[in-house]
Amino acid sequence: MQILTTAAALHAYTETARRAGQRVGLVPTMGALHDGHLQLVQAARAQCNVVVASIFVNPTQFNNAEDFRLYPRVPEADAALLAPAGCTALFTPSVEEMYPRPTVLRFDFGDLERVMEGAHRPGHFNGVATVVSKLFHMARPHQAFFGQKDWQQVAIIRQLVADLSFDLEIVTCPTIREADGLAMSSRNCRLDAPARAVAPLLHQVLEAAAAQVRQGVPPAQVKAAADATLAAEPLLTPEYVEVADAETLQPLDVYAPGRAVVLCLAAHLGGVRLIDNVVVE
Ligand SMILES: Nc1ncnc2c1ncn2[C@@H]1O[C@H](COP(=O)(O)OP(=O)(O)OP(=O)(O)O)[C@@H](O)[C@H]1O
Ligand SMILES: CC(C)(CO)[C@@H](O)C(=O)[O-]
Ligand code: BAL
């Protein structure tokens, strides 16, 4: 596995592969890798000849300086996991390499970003769209792989690709969970033992809500029940629970026949902010 640290080296690597007729896959991450990330690499390797994973804790997408400071960084452990999963090159740029001068770019994704993560993390998706656009330009992948765990992020990136005519395919991979249902997340390692014991409740609440959606229980009632269950747990502070159209992400008052529903939540647990979602087709 090659280690690349500059945009020029990344560009040269993927252009050489392209000229040789090879397909290029890109897996953007912020590191502290777990099986959710490795699944993305494996999916990329199944479809592409070369797979670039990027590890970059992107400062412009953090709306909370403490969250940025505490974000887990374990570069050696990450590098050791990537090659066996099928990664052929690791891109680990510095902040100066990605942002040679402060970015002034501003994206507006309209209603897609006025809800959930966009509403609760001001500037977050501007930072995500900025860094993902840069990675797409630098690597020019045929396909880029993202996790369902960040459902709204995928919707934003699909809009970005359409609006800026990036010539690539976005592939979404399912959420990988621990045995007790907790969605794998780099931030899970910051949970202490009592918080970790409570954490599976997030997925349990989503599954209970999904069952209610399937039974036709009205969205407001589903949301209220989920909120109440989360709020009853003293270690948990729910930030939002949303019952939304899976494509437009807009909150639902009633179900529209034939349209998928996404149940999303964010909650603070022992000082750690976690998100999760479940889709009802
Ligand atoms: N449990 C998971 N299953 C599938 N994909 C995942 C999972 N966790 C993260 N991903 C995906 O991996 C990519 C990189 O995500 P990221 O590096 O932010 O990891 P993370 O575990 O989500 O970290 P955190 O939630 O703490 O920011 C994203 O496309 C994300 O959706
Ligand atoms: C897509 C991403 C790597 C951009 O920094 C990040 O938002 C993430 O890890 O999901
Ligand atoms: N997985 C989304 C990256 C973030 O939380 O900033």
Side-chain angles (χ1 to χ4, degrees):
M1 185 176 73
Q2 297 209 23
I3 309 284
L4 312 168
T5 57
T6 65
L10 172 58
H11 194 71
Y13 177 79
T14 56
E15 286 308 307
T16 303
R18 269 185 171 262
R19 275 198 297 275
Q22 298 189 320
R23 287 184 65 75
V24 176
L26 175 69
V27 180
T29 84
M30 301 206 300
L33 302 180
H34 49 65
D35 286 352
H37 298 114
L38 298 180
Q39 165 207 218
L40 301 181
V41 174
Q42 285 155 0
R45 192 55 194 269
Q47 300 192 51
C48 301
N49 310 89
V50 303
V51 175
V52 178
S54 62
I55 295 183
F56 180 62
V57 185
N58 173 36
T60 65
Q61 73 185 70
F62 283 82
N63 57 310
N64 177 325
E66 193 65 352
D67 190 27
F68 178 65
R69 193 178 69 78
L70 292 175
Y71 201 86
R73 292 163 172 90
V74 287
E76 286 84 17
D78 284 348
L81 290 171
L82 283 170
C87 179
T88 59
L90 167 59
F91 180 52
T92 54
S94 64
V95 172
E96 295 70 30
E97 182 68 19
M98 289 304 280
Y99 296 104
R101 57 166 115 170
T103 173
V104 294
L105 204 54
R106 290 291 171 266
F107 291 89
D108 184 345
F109 292 96
D111 289 344
L112 271 186
E113 72 166 74
R114 310 251 190 278
V115 294
M116 301 191 286
E117 291 302 280
H120 288 84
R121 297 185 65 184
H124 172 62
F125 285 123
N126 193 66
V128 169
T130 302
V131 80
V132 167
S133 300
K134 283 171 170 278
L135 290 168
F136 286 172
H137 282 302
M138 291 171 188
R140 287 218 308 127
H142 294 90
Q143 291 175 305
F145 296 77
F146 295 89
Q148 181 189 323
K149 201 201 77 183
D150 296 276
W151 184 266
Q152 189 175 11
Q153 172 169 280
V154 175
I156 296 268
I157 291 170
R158 287 187 186 280
Q159 185 70 42
L160 176 79
V161 166
D163 280 356
L164 293 182
S165 303
F166 281 110
D167 184 16
L168 54 84
E169 182 196 353
I170 298 297
V171 181
T172 310
C173 298
T175 302
I176 302 296
R177 300 180 179 280
E178 302 289 355
D180 59 13
L182 173 65
M184 290 191 180
S185 164
S186 307
R187 291 183 176 92
N188 289 353
C189 67
R190 291 177 44 210
L191 298 170
D192 62 15
R196 178 63 188 82
V198 165
L201 185 62
L202 300 182
H203 183 236
Q204 287 160 15
V205 163
L206 287 172
E207 284 299 337
Q212 290 183 320
V213 171
R214 289 188 195 99
Q215 288 158 15
V217 176
Q221 233 172 290
V222 172
K223 215 175 123 157
D227 259 331
T229 309
L230 293 175
E233 170 48 57
L235 287 182
L236 258 174
T237 310
E239 195 169 276
Y240 64 79
V241 179
E242 213 48 86
V243 181
D245 182 287
E247 205 178 311
T248 67
L249 305 184
Q250 299 314 295
L252 292 176
D253 294 324
V254 290
Y255 302 113
R259 291 192 65 89
V261 172
V262 65
L263 304 159
C264 299
L265 60 75
H268 295 262
L269 180 51
V272 184
R273 184 177 182 279
L274 297 177
I275 61 171
D276 199 356
N277 67 77
V278 163
V279 176
V280 182
E281 301 288 350

